Amino acid sequence: MQPLITPKPYNFKLEMAKNNQGVSSFGGLPLIRKALAEIGLFKKMSEVFYLKRFLKHGGYQDVQILEAVILLIASGGTCFSDWEILTADPGFQKMFGRCMSVDVLERYLKRLSVTFLEGTTASGQSGYSTLLDLIQREMLLVAYQLAGRPEKLTLDIDTSIYRTAKSDAEFCYEMVKAYQPMMVYCPELNMVVAHEFRDGNISPQVGYDRLIDRCRGLLPQVKSWTVRSDSAGYQLEMLDQWAEDGITFYVTADQFSGMQNILKLQTSWSSYISDGIKTGQEVAEIAYVPTFSNQGELKLRRHTLRFIAARKPKNGQLKLNEDPYVYQVIVTNTQEEDLNKILKMHWQRCGSVEYAHAELKNGCGMRRFPSKHFQVNAAWCSLGILTHNMLRLIQNHVLPEKLKRIEIKTLNHRFIRAAIWVKEKANQIIVRCCKNHPLYAWYQEALQNLEHLAYRLSLISTA
């Protein structure tokens, strides 16, 4: 019989350490700082802000303040006051240097100008920081080059409700105070390509065309574009223009009364099979012909659009004469793909742009916004997206395989907030890891990958 393992006592005694200089609970931040330098983001920040100095006192450079906010968000911070936790960390003080105050961070973001866009009303605003968008472009170009400069890219566009209790926030369609950022996510690059920060009362349909045009302008060398959207993108004139521009799209269609009657009378349903597995859903291509009373839809049919319907049984008890199925209709201008492939292609959007919104909320400081001022929150949103793209780039090309496929919040727990000991010697930062902790092996592999990444980027820049 094995002896019982005696647990350690639960009572403890609290004492203050006599010497804790160099101890840090943010072990992954030195690698992030080095990666920011190697991919050229610090250099790009210096170029963008060279003639636009917003800070009037304190002696801090623009790069230092922007880096501070990025490190704050990457380490799990959700508000400016979390910066005090970082600055109180002895190891972080050694790796970062003299730390600015919380007020400096907020005042700086307040001075960043915001470009307001069409759709802005007296009670609602929509815009983004143009200067921070220039830095986003640099990150996007790096990811595009490392991906092999693909000629085909997919753009998933969607808005999401970011609830807030700020006094100046507006009510959204869910009748709660919220902001409603719109973002375009590219699954091939694993990055948010473009975004607009919005008040909650801005319609989700506003700005789809201009945001897609911005994305196409960022990468003019891409020859083929695919756009996926929910029903907010079912705008007839816009879809007509996309078809003329050669953009392939998969958009959830609104179900008008005429279409609902066709769905009920449709008989040629087949099982929807995904990766060889029957899903319990059925799919059919419907012959939806708009009436002459709807001139917009009649014009749209010039491009021979296809309407693909999917249905699944309703749950629960049905009412008398109630349709037993729930329907979804997808409109697309592709002519060669089969029905199962069209559905799978469209539904993958939920795993990309909606997942990106979840990652920004849970891992990149956008669960709540730090200020009641629209300009500050718009800048915070841009920096949160920049941090998200940076961490995804580091995961894809720098970190070991074990850390590539995890969520940002899990990465924060396993790597970024691991314990290290930081020492400065001969104008060099020395990082020491705990014995037998996997962090040391991860750092070794990551530093080798980062050196290789810097070499690849140097070859690309000289090509």
Side-chain angles (χ1 to χ4, degrees):
M1 182 177 179
Q2 294 183 348
L4 295 176
I5 299 176
T6 305
K8 291 291 184 179
Y10 301 109
N11 295 328
F12 62 90
K13 182 180 179 182
L14 179 63
E15 294 182 351
M16 182 178 293
K18 297 180 179 179
N19 183 10
N20 63 341
Q21 292 186 358
V23 178
S24 176
S25 58
F26 302 97
L29 294 186
L31 181 68
I32 292 177
R33 298 188 71 227
K34 185 175 178 64
L36 287 172
E38 294 292 347
I39 64 179
L41 203 61
F42 286 153
K43 181 180 178 181
K44 185 64 178 179
M45 289 180 185
S46 300
E47 294 174 355
V48 170
F49 290 92
Y50 179 71
L51 298 177
K52 298 181 181 294
R53 305 268 177 188
F54 291 97
L55 194 65
K56 303 302 181 182
H57 60 275
Y60 296 101
Q61 301 179 15
D62 301 272
V63 176
Q64 291 175 295
I65 300 178
L66 293 175
E67 180 195 2
V69 180
I70 291 174
L71 296 180
L72 170 62
I73 296 174
S75 61
T78 58
C79 57
F80 288 120
S81 59
D82 289 338
W83 177 247
E84 297 177 350
I85 305 299
L86 271 175
T87 57
D89 187 271
F92 181 79
Q93 294 175 7
K94 284 186 173 293
M95 72 177 82
F96 185 81
R98 182 183 173 184
C99 300
M100 63 285 298
S101 66
V102 174
D103 293 337
V104 170
L105 298 181
E106 185 172 8
R107 287 198 303 268
Y108 185 86
L109 295 190
K110 191 181 297 184
R111 292 190 178 101
L112 285 175
S113 60
V114 172
T115 301
F116 292 98
L117 304 167
E118 294 181 6
T120 299
T121 64
S123 59
Q125 303 178 91
S126 175
Y128 65 98
S129 174
T130 309
L131 293 175
L132 294 179
D133 192 61
L134 294 175
I135 304 173
Q136 295 273 16
R137 291 184 182 185
E138 182 69 18
M139 183 76 70
L140 174 64
L141 291 175
V142 170
Y144 179 73
Q145 293 169 347
L146 293 176
R149 298 176 180 177
E151 296 183 351
K152 298 181 179 180
L153 289 180
T154 304
L155 300 178
D156 295 336
I157 183 169
D158 193 20
T159 60
S160 183
I161 299 298
Y162 289 64
R163 298 194 179 193
T164 182
K166 302 301 180 184
S167 58
D168 292 351
E170 302 292 341
F171 284 92
C172 66
Y173 59 84
E174 293 184 356
M175 301 309 297
V176 295
K177 282 192 171 184
Y179 295 109
Q180 194 175 180
M182 177 181 286
M183 300 178 188
V184 180
Y185 182 83
C186 180
E188 290 85 359
L189 304 180
N190 204 7
M191 284 191 174
V192 177
V193 181
H195 75 283
E196 292 179 6
F197 188 73
R198 305 171 170 211
D199 276 324
N201 60 347
I202 299 295
S203 172
Q205 293 183 329
V206 174
Y208 265 55
D209 49 352
R210 70 176 175 228
L211 203 53
I212 295 299
D213 290 341
R214 271 179 58 195
C215 296
R216 296 174 63 193
L218 290 174
L219 298 171
Q221 57 269 51
V222 177
K223 298 181 179 179
S224 177
W225 294 93
T226 299
V227 178
R228 300 184 294 201
S229 170
D230 59 6
S231 58
Y234 188 61
Q235 304 175 40
L236 302 178
E237 293 184 0
M238 183 183 70
L239 294 182
D240 189 42
Q241 185 62 48
W242 285 356
E244 290 183 358
D245 294 341
I247 299 176
T248 303
F249 55 81
Y250 304 82
V251 177
T252 303
D254 291 334
Q255 297 181 28
F256 303 104
S257 58
M259 184 183 293
Q260 292 174 357
N261 294 332
I262 294 177
L263 290 173
K264 294 177 182 179
L265 297 175
Q266 182 72 26
T267 58
S268 57
W269 295 94
S270 60
S271 297
Y272 170 56
I273 301 175
S274 178
D275 298 328
I277 301 175
K278 290 186 177 181
T279 62
Q281 302 183 68
E282 294 178 315
V283 58
E285 183 167 358
I286 62 175
Y288 174 52
V289 181
T291 63
F292 282 92
S293 61
N294 193 333
Q295 296 296 326
E297 292 195 21
L298 191 62
K299 179 182 177 182
L300 183 64
R301 294 293 292 181
R302 291 189 297 109
H303 296 284
T304 318
L305 302 187
R306 300 171 66 188
F307 288 82
I308 314 301
R311 72 178 186 179
K312 62 180 179 179
K314 289 183 179 179
N315 297 325
Q317 186 175 0
L318 300 177
K319 299 179 181 179
L320 185 63
N321 297 328
E322 183 181 2
D323 194 328
Y325 294 99
V326 177
Y327 299 94
Q328 183 184 23
V329 180
I330 299 167
V331 58
T332 179
N333 60 341
T334 180
Q335 300 295 326
E336 301 176 355
E337 298 178 351
D338 58 41
L339 305 186
N340 288 351
K341 187 175 181 181
I342 290 175
L343 283 182
K344 183 178 179 180
M345 180 68 177
H346 178 69
W347 287 344
Q348 284 177 346
R349 179 189 65 87
C350 299
S352 61
V353 63
E354 293 185 9
Y355 178 71
H357 276 293
E359 286 287 84
L360 288 167
K361 292 178 183 178
N362 298 326
C364 295
M366 292 176 62
R367 172 63 64 180
R368 59 175 182 174
F369 289 91
S371 175
K372 68 176 183 179
H373 300 286
F374 183 88
Q375 293 88 337
V376 176
N377 293 331
W380 181 272
C381 176
S382 295
L383 290 170
I385 293 174
L386 179 63
T387 305
H388 169 274
N389 292 345
M390 173 203 64
L391 292 177
R392 286 307 188 198
L393 184 67
I394 293 175
Q395 278 187 291
N396 293 336
H397 301 283
V398 177
L399 293 179
E401 191 67 32
K402 194 172 183 179
L403 300 177
K404 288 183 182 297
R405 301 297 179 184
I406 61 177
E407 296 181 353
I408 292 178
K409 189 173 183 180
T410 306
L411 177 68
N412 189 285
H413 173 72
R414 295 184 183 178
F415 181 75
I416 297 178
R417 304 202 66 155
I420 59 170
W421 187 77
V422 182
K423 182 179 179 181
E424 186 176 5
K425 183 178 181 181
N427 200 24
Q428 184 181 20
I429 299 297
I430 300 174
V431 175
R432 292 180 181 176
C433 304
C434 297
K435 188 177 181 180
N436 299 327
H437 194 281
L439 183 66
Y440 182 75
W442 293 343
Y443 249 107
Q444 281 187 316
E445 184 175 350
L447 290 174
Q448 293 177 358
N449 294 338
L450 186 58
E451 184 178 354
H452 178 65
L453 175 63
Y455 177 70
R456 287 179 60 189
L457 291 177
S458 65
L459 293 180
I460 293 174
S461 61
T462 56

